[in-house]
Amino acid sequence: MYSCDEKCGWVASFVACLAFGSFAIPIKGRAANQVQIDPLVMQSYKTAMCFLTCWIVLLFGEKFTFSPWGIVSGIIWVPGGTAGIFAVRNAGLAISQGIWSSMKVLVAFIWGIFIFNESVQSRIWASAAVFLMCIGLFGMSYFSAPENGANKRNETAPNSHPINRREHDYMQYPWSFKDDVESRASDYVEMEALRARGWGGANMTNELDPLSHDLWAEEPHYEEICTTPDSQVEGNISFCGLTLTRRQLGLLCAALGDGVWGGSILVPMHFSRDDTKGLGFVISFSIGASIVTLFLWIIRYAYHVNRTRSMKESFDALPSFHLSVMWAPGSLAGLLWSIGNVSSMLSVQYLGEGVGFSIIQSQMLVAGLWGVFWFREISGVLTISKWFASAFITLVGIILLSYEHVH
């Protein structure tokens, strides 16, 4: 096995920031929009790539070892990652990633400094550094949210007809238009087949599967189906007696699901054996995540069986993977996340949970830069200046936190 020291931890942190800051781009891309990808389906793509790539560590001299703590990490990651995808699809990439990054910084810092008693030069100054990071991350997410930017890509000109949107998309993406039509037509045939059996009526999709993103009764135009992300699909969701908009539920998923819950993803590695830490934990994590993902699909199928009393109809009610459209963006998202995950394990191993995992959450810097220079989500000199000011505050927090790390 290759020898490594603290420098590896800092390099790994940088790589993790790049990968984690970019993995969600395919989730908000046109392919995911056109099929209204289900969160668990997208999470399954991520899990599959995580499992397929985990064996690469064997080439670096790692032996095949398995720790049950990998299953615990899977229990934390898979539901949290699914919640994060729902948040991106319904509340937006920038605001969601900013919220969960802020929460993960707090969770990781509490675990590392106050529970694992990791050494820092001063807990007061380290806490101040984390506070600065949280303020900066929240500022970047706020000023890069679509409401504050000029993201007009999904808006129609006042005097234009919706059909122009489809014609425009076809001119820009002629290679994917055929797959788009076939994908939606296939979904329609499946839905009609279920309706013929007496299930659901006009709101069949929501009644049959509350996690579905295809609000069929509220999508009257094919053009909107192809181009409108979930965050712009109207419809409230009732849960435990509460009625929330999809955006509100997305923000809760970002904060509590991917933030607070998902912030402990690498905590189980601390309780693992020495030979299953760092790169040695990658295989255990991937196997555990695969087991948990499969278990969630079984639970979802059992839920439909309980409702329909039919195994075939329950299977038909499960969301499609849309392989013809989503295999490339799904695999890319999973690959980027897997790279970030391996790097984060090295970062935590050599820098600690409190410092290493906290610094990784500056991934929001990368995600925000994608929004500024690629997606053009921010407009106006003043708004962009506020975003960079927030980024500067985050960088100050990172530098201060790195200084507080005991070498």
Side-chain angles (χ1 to χ4, degrees), residues 41-59:
V41 170
M42 196 69 187
Q43 177 61 37
S44 298
Y45 278 109
K46 290 168 57 183
T47 301
M49 286 302 298
C50 188
F51 180 80
L52 291 175
T53 58
C54 74
W55 310 103
I56 296 178
V57 300
L58 299 177
L59 300 177

Side-chain angles (χ1 to χ4, degrees), residues 90-112:
N90 291 274
L93 170 63
I95 187 72
S96 297
Q97 198 152 12
I99 289 176
W100 78 51
S101 295
S102 300
M103 300 305 297
K104 285 182 178 180
V105 167
L106 292 175
V107 171
F109 187 74
I110 291 173
W111 274 109

Side-chain angles (χ1 to χ4, degrees), residues 19-297:
F20 280 150
S22 303
F23 92 92
I25 302 302
I27 297 176
K28 67 169 291 184
R30 183 178 183 275
N33 287 344
Q34 76 178 32
V35 299
Q36 304 256 327
I37 194 70
D38 183 271
L40 186 55
V41 170
M42 196 69 187
Q43 177 61 37
S44 298
Y45 278 109
K46 290 168 57 183
T47 301
M49 286 302 298
C50 188
F51 180 80
L52 291 175
T53 58
C54 74
W55 310 103
I56 296 178
V57 300
L58 299 177
L59 300 177
F60 291 89
E62 292 290 339
K63 295 181 180 180
F64 175 74
T65 54
F66 177 75
S67 170
W69 288 106
I71 299 178
V72 180
S73 284
I75 293 174
I76 297 174
W77 174 54
V78 176
T82 304
I85 294 170
F86 182 90
V88 171
R89 299 290 302 149
N90 291 274
L93 170 63
I95 187 72
S96 297
Q97 198 152 12
I99 289 176
W100 78 51
S101 295
S102 300
M103 300 305 297
K104 285 182 178 180
V105 167
L106 292 175
V107 171
F109 187 74
I110 291 173
W111 274 109
I113 306 303
F114 297 103
I115 297 180
F116 294 140
N117 292 316
E118 295 173 350
S119 298
V120 290
Q121 296 190 43
S122 170
R123 287 192 174 186
I124 295 178
W125 283 108
S127 299
V130 168
F131 177 76
L132 285 176
M133 287 183 64
C134 291
I135 294 297
L137 289 169
F138 179 80
M140 284 189 292
S141 66
Y142 179 81
F143 293 117
S144 59
E147 289 77 9
N148 299 290
N151 184 12
K152 304 298 183 181
R153 293 178 296 113
N154 290 314
E155 295 184 5
T156 307
N159 297 323
S160 65
H161 190 274
I163 192 67
N164 291 332
R165 294 170 60 187
R166 178 170 64 173
E167 292 172 350
H168 174 70
D169 289 338
Y170 175 69
M171 294 299 293
Q172 282 191 313
Y173 310 97
W175 58 86
S176 62
F177 188 73
K178 181 176 181 293
D179 290 338
D180 192 356
V181 174
E182 291 176 350
S183 174
R184 303 309 297 181
S186 175
D187 287 348
Y188 178 78
V189 171
E190 291 176 4
M191 289 182 180
E192 286 301 313
L194 290 176
R195 288 196 184 100
R197 300 187 185 104
W199 286 102
N203 293 318
M204 184 276 297
T205 307
N206 283 329
E207 293 180 9
L208 212 52
D209 190 344
L211 294 180
S212 173
H213 282 248
D214 292 324
L215 300 181
W216 191 264
E218 298 176 8
E219 294 180 338
H221 298 297
Y222 172 84
E223 297 79 7
E224 295 178 2
I225 293 173
C226 291
T227 59
T228 305
D230 296 350
S231 57
Q232 296 185 7
V233 176
E234 298 179 356
N236 296 333
I237 297 176
S238 296
F239 181 74
C240 296
L242 298 176
T243 300
L244 301 173
T245 65
R246 300 182 73 86
R247 177 178 172 81
Q248 290 172 339
L249 184 58
L251 294 175
L252 283 177
C253 285
L256 302 180
D258 203 2
V260 175
W261 179 255
S264 302
I265 181 176
L266 293 183
V267 169
M269 187 177 71
H270 288 264
F271 302 101
S272 184
R273 303 188 312 268
D274 289 339
D275 61 338
T276 55
K277 291 184 178 180
L279 288 181
F281 194 69
V282 173
I283 294 178
S284 300
F285 177 91
S286 301
I287 294 176
S290 300
I291 293 174
V292 175
T293 302
L294 179 60
F295 184 69
L296 288 184
W297 278 108

Side-chain angles (χ1 to χ4, degrees), residues 371-382:
V372 173
F373 296 107
W374 183 259
F375 290 106
R376 306 291 184 182
E377 291 180 338
I378 309 176
S379 67
V381 176
L382 180 61

